[in-house]
Amino acid sequence: MGDPTIRCTVEDLLYRYAEALDDGELERWPAMFLESGQYRLIPRENHQRGLPVSLILCTSRAMMEDRVVAIRKACVYTPHVCRHLHTNVRVGEVEAGHVETRANYAVYRTTEDGETVLLSVGHVEARVALGPEPRFERMDVVYETFRIPGLLVYPI
Amino acid sequence: MPTPSAESFWPWPEGDTAHVPYRVFTDPELFQREQERIFQGPTWSYVGLEAEVPEEGCFRTTHIGDVPVILSRSKDGQVHVLINRCSHRGALVLHEACGQHKRFNCVYHQWGYDPDGTLRAVPFKNGVEGHGGYCGVDMDMKALSLRRLRVEVLNGLVFASFREDTPPLREYLGGVWPQLTRVFDGRKLQVLGYLRQRVRANWKLYFENVKDPYHAGLLHLFVATFGLFRSTQRGETLAEPSGCGHLVSYKGGAEEHREEYEQQGITTYQKGYRLRAPELMRKLPDFRDDIAVSIQTIFPSLVIHRISNSIATRHVLPRDVNDFDLIWTLLGYADDTVELRNQRILQANLVGPSGYISLEDVEALEIVQRGIQGERGDAAFVALGGTQVQYGEPERDLANETAIRGFWKTWRTLMGV
C-alpha cells in the first residue's frame, strides 16, 4: 500500500500536474520534472510488446520546453481544453529519496462547440524525486486508447 | 430571391482537370463503388511487412478496403494474404490483431485452416453414428479453402491484389520504384513501434495531402523553420498512371530562398527560433543522398516516409466515406547502430498523431471534411502550376498541384466517373 504521507505527496504532485495541463498553463508542465527528467507517452500495444516508439518522447526538461513552444507557436489545431482525472494512486517503498508510483487516468477533450469526447484512458508509471519540492524523475504514460481520435496536441 | 448558384461541377465535366468536385469526398455510393473498382480492382494494396510475420503460423489481421484479410506465413516460408472469412458461415477466422497459431480455427464451428488457407478440419464431417454430417454431400475441401489473394513482396513490403490483370508490382510502381527501394533495399527491417489514429475525413484527402507540395512549407511551420521543406526548396513531385507517386525535397539550397518567405510575410518562417534540445533535429548519416524529406505513395493504401532519420509506413484504411484509420509503423534496420536506432526512436516525435510535422495534416483534412458539408456541386480548385496532367515525368519544383491532378485522373479512370 505504501506510506500514506508519501501517497499524499504523490497525489498532490499528480493533481497539480493535471491542473497545469487542464488550466492551459502548459509552461508549468516541464517544471514538474527534474532537469534530466524523462517523459514518455506510449501506446499500450507498444509497451506490451516491448516496442520502444512513443507518441511523445522527451529525454530532458529542455525537450519538454521545446514541445511547449512548438504547441504554442508551430502547431495548428482546433482549439480545445482537456480534463484529467487521476485515480487509483499507489506508491512503493521510498528508496534514497525516490519513490515508484502508479495511477490510472482518463482525459476528456472539449472543443469550442461544447462537445466532450473521451480522449484517452490508461495508466501512469512514474518515479518521483521527493524533497521540499517533489518532481518527476521519469514518467511513462501508457495509453490504452491507442487509436487516437484525430490528433493529440497536449501531453497527458 | 435565392442567391445565384455557382457553376456545378457535378457531374464532373469530362476533361476538367482544374477542379475536383467535393462530392467525391461525401457520397456514400461512391465509397461503395470504390470498394469494387479500386480496393478490389486492378490495384496493389499494402497489407503489412514480412518482418511482422517472421515464423510459421505468424499472422496479422487487417483490411483491404472494407474486406477483412489475414497476412500469414506458412510452413514453407511463403507469406499469404487470405480473406478472413470462414468458408462455412462467414465468421472471422482470426479475430486477434496478431499472433501465432499452427492452425487457424474458426471459433464458431471449429473449421480449421492451414496458415496458407487450406481447409484441413471440419468437425463431425462424417456425422454422428452414421447420421448427419456431410456424407452424401458433394464437398470439395479444396474449394472451401480460404480465398487466397495474389501477393507480391518487395524487399519486405507485402502487397495483395484481388485481380489477376493487375500489372506486376514493379510496373505498377513505375518511377516510384527507385526511391522506394532506397529505403526498402533488402536489408532486414525492424519494427520500432506503432502509432494509430482515426481521422474524420475521406481517405482520398490523405492521398491528396501527400501529393501536395504546396501546403508542406506553408502549413508545417516546424519543417519550414528547420529547413526540411520550404516551397522555395529544390524538390520534385511525380505521378504515375497507377495512382502511385512521390514527393521529395532536397536539403541543398534550403537556406537560399529564405528571404522570399520573409518578403511575402509568410508566417511559417520564424526568425531566430532555436530548440533548447537541438539533438531532436540531428540527422545521423543514413542514406547517401541529399534528400531532406521523401514521401512515396502506393495507391490506394500506403504512404512511405523518410524524414530526417525517421522511416515509416503509413497504412491508410478507409472505414466509411467520412472516416479512415491511419496506422504508422515506425521502422529501422536490424543492423542499425544503437545510436541510429535511438535517433529514429527520438524522431518519432516528428510524425504520428502528435508529430511536429504531421499533426496539422490531420487537422487540415478534418476541416476540409467539415467545410464541404452541404456542397451542391462545388469543387476544389487544383490549377497550381497549370492544368496539365503529367505521368511518369517529375515536376522539378514545389509550387504545383500536378501530382494531385494526376491522382484524380487515375481515380476517374478506375471509377468510370
Side-chain angles (χ1 to χ4, degrees):
Chain A
M1 198 62 199
D3 183 337
T5 327
I6 300 295
R7 201 177 71 226
C8 267
T9 305
V10 167
E11 274 179 351
D12 185 58
L13 181 64
L14 269 173
Y15 296 163
R16 281 190 291 120
Y17 177 96
E19 244 168 53
L21 293 173
D22 294 347
D23 292 352
E25 291 177 25
L26 211 50
E27 284 70 15
R28 269 165 50 200
W29 173 63
M32 308 193 95
F33 288 81
L34 298 176
E35 214 166 296
S36 60
Q38 178 179 285
Y39 173 80
R40 294 200 306 166
L41 179 54
I42 183 165
R44 182 172 174 150
E45 65 172 335
N46 292 355
H47 192 252
Q48 213 167 15
R49 292 184 215 156
L51 298 172
V53 159
S54 304
L55 183 66
I56 298 179
L57 167 64
C58 299
T59 55
S60 64
R61 191 200 282 167
M63 224 174 261
M64 296 175 214
E65 289 164 350
D66 287 338
R67 179 61 77 165
V68 172
V69 174
I71 292 170
R72 294 284 193 219
K73 305 231 159 129
C75 298
V76 181
Y77 53 90
T78 298
H80 63 272
V81 293
C82 289
R83 183 67 53 197
H84 287 68
L85 307 177
H86 279 113
T87 178
N88 301 45
V89 180
R90 296 220 294 146
V91 295
E93 293 302 317
V94 177
E95 275 173 48
H98 290 79
V99 66
E100 294 286 342
T101 71
R102 205 187 142 102
N104 291 349
Y105 78 86
V107 178
Y108 295 87
R109 175 169 66 193
T110 304
T111 37
E112 282 181 320
D113 57 359
E115 189 191 354
T116 300
V117 296
L118 179 61
L119 174 65
S120 187
V121 168
H123 78 273
V124 177
E125 294 173 19
R127 186 172 161 84
V128 174
L130 299 165
E133 232 184 299
R135 290 181 207 273
F136 295 106
E137 180 182 285
R138 175 182 48 75
M139 183 189 282
D140 285 342
V141 180
V142 182
Y143 66 100
E144 245 135 67
T145 318
F146 62 76
R147 189 189 72 208
I148 289 174
L151 40 96
L152 190 144
V153 180
Y154 302 114
I156 286 174
Chain B
M1 203 176 101
T3 52
S5 63
E7 185 187 351
S8 177
F9 292 94
W10 192 263
W12 198 343
E14 202 161 334
D16 182 354
T17 55
H19 296 93
V20 179
Y22 296 132
R23 191 69 50 92
V24 302
F25 303 119
T26 58
D27 187 344
E29 278 176 32
L30 285 174
F31 184 81
Q32 283 311 315
R33 195 166 180 179
E34 285 172 342
Q35 300 306 320
E36 177 204 330
R37 299 250 184 149
I38 295 177
F39 296 99
Q40 295 177 42
T43 57
W44 285 106
S45 282
Y46 172 70
V47 181
L49 299 165
E50 258 196 311
E52 294 177 307
V53 286
E55 292 166 15
E56 181 195 347
C58 285
F59 68 87
R60 285 187 79 81
T61 55
T62 179
H63 289 82
I64 296 179
D66 52 12
V67 178
V69 297
I70 299 166
L71 168 65
S72 64
R73 193 183 289 271
S74 56
K75 200 173 180 177
D76 60 2
Q78 293 292 309
V79 293
H80 305 274
V81 178
L82 312 167
I83 294 185
N84 190 6
R85 183 184 297 143
C86 185
S87 308
H88 177 217
R89 299 272 287 278
L92 291 175
V93 175
L94 296 172
H95 51 177
E96 305 134 279
C98 60
Q100 186 172 15
H101 301 307
K102 288 235 155 121
R103 179 71 59 83
F104 297 165
N105 285 326
C106 175
V107 294
Y108 199 1
H109 305 89
Q110 293 292 322
W111 281 34
Y113 303 86
D114 280 346
D116 68 357
T118 308
L119 178 62
R120 287 286 174 212
V122 175
F124 303 112
K125 194 177 168 203
N126 298 318
V128 179
E129 292 171 1
H131 297 283
Y134 293 102
C135 302
V137 177
D138 184 18
M139 186 181 185
D140 181 351
M141 291 283 278
K142 208 171 168 192
L144 288 167
S145 291
L146 296 180
R147 183 169 166 203
R148 209 175 294 161
L149 301 183
R150 198 176 144 206
V151 169
E152 278 214 42
V153 181
L154 173 66
N155 292 339
L157 298 166
V158 183
F159 296 89
S161 183
F162 278 77
R163 295 258 293 251
E164 289 305 319
D165 59 349
T166 309
L169 184 63
R170 172 85 191 254
E171 191 184 310
Y172 187 81
L173 291 169
V176 174
W177 192 85
Q179 285 290 344
L180 190 68
T181 50
R182 268 169 187 262
V183 174
F184 297 90
D185 57 1
R187 270 188 287 169
K188 200 170 172 219
L189 297 165
Q190 186 181 24
V191 174
L192 299 176
Y194 300 92
L195 298 173
R196 298 168 193 256
Q197 60 198 129
R198 167 73 50 96
V199 184
R200 295 176 79 174
N202 183 269
W203 65 279
K204 296 186 294 301
L205 285 169
Y206 196 65
F207 278 90
E208 275 197 327
N209 176 269
V210 291
K211 288 168 185 289
D212 168 17
Y214 189 30
H215 87 285
L218 296 167
L219 173 68
H220 302 301
L221 170 65
F222 200 87
V223 269
T225 301
F226 293 101
L228 281 175
F229 202 111
R230 291 187 206 131
S231 305
T232 48
Q233 215 156 311
R234 200 162 57 83
E236 63 178 56
T237 62
L238 173 78
E240 289 291 339
S242 59
C244 299
H246 78 226
L247 192 166
V248 174
S249 74
Y250 295 96
K251 213 164 168 48
E255 297 303 306
E256 287 162 22
H257 297 282
R258 185 186 288 214
E259 62 289 351
E260 287 178 29
Y261 258 73
E262 287 167 3
Q263 277 161 15
Q264 293 194 35
I266 296 169
T267 54
T268 54
Y269 188 77
Q270 279 225 334
K271 236 176 173 173
Y273 184 47
R274 293 278 176 275
L275 289 176
R276 289 181 197 182
E279 58 267 34
L280 173 67
M281 296 309 289
R282 198 156 58 103
K283 189 184 178 193
L284 298 179
D286 205 347
F287 299 96
R288 278 182 210 160
D289 57 30
D290 189 27
I291 287 174
V293 173
S294 169
I295 311 275
Q296 275 72 49
T297 58
I298 295 121
F299 182 75
S301 59
L302 179 65
V303 177
I304 307 269
H305 82 234
R306 197 179 125 194
I307 299 166
S308 198
N309 290 123
S310 168
I311 302 170
T313 63
R314 308 176 183 175
H315 195 171
V316 180
L317 289 160
R319 309 306 302 190
D320 66 40
V321 71
N322 295 304
D323 283 309
F324 70 93
D325 284 350
L326 192 54
I327 304 174
W328 307 65
T329 305
L330 291 104
L331 301 170
Y333 301 102
D335 63 1
D336 281 342
T337 60
V338 173
E339 203 193 4
L340 182 54
R341 184 170 180 268
N342 286 340
Q343 195 62 9
R344 296 198 205 283
I345 295 164
L346 184 62
Q347 288 186 342
N349 276 304
L350 302 178
V351 302
S354 298
Y356 285 137
I357 61 180
S358 58
L359 174 153
E360 44 259 6
D361 282 323
V362 166
E363 179 68 19
L365 269 47
E366 293 193 343
I367 61 175
V368 170
Q369 195 74 22
R370 283 159 65 194
I372 63 179
Q373 295 305 307
E375 60 80 25
R376 293 284 179 273
D378 303 346
F381 182 53
V382 291
L384 189 71
T387 57
Q388 81 285 10
V389 170
Q390 187 173 304
Y391 283 141
E393 181 59 36
E395 282 275 30
R396 300 194 193 279
D397 65 74
L398 295 175
N400 68 78
E401 289 169 334
T402 312
I404 294 181
R405 292 190 293 275
F407 169 75
W408 285 111
K409 189 176 173 188
T410 304
W411 186 86
R412 292 187 75 169
T413 307
L414 283 164
M415 291 285 286
V417 168

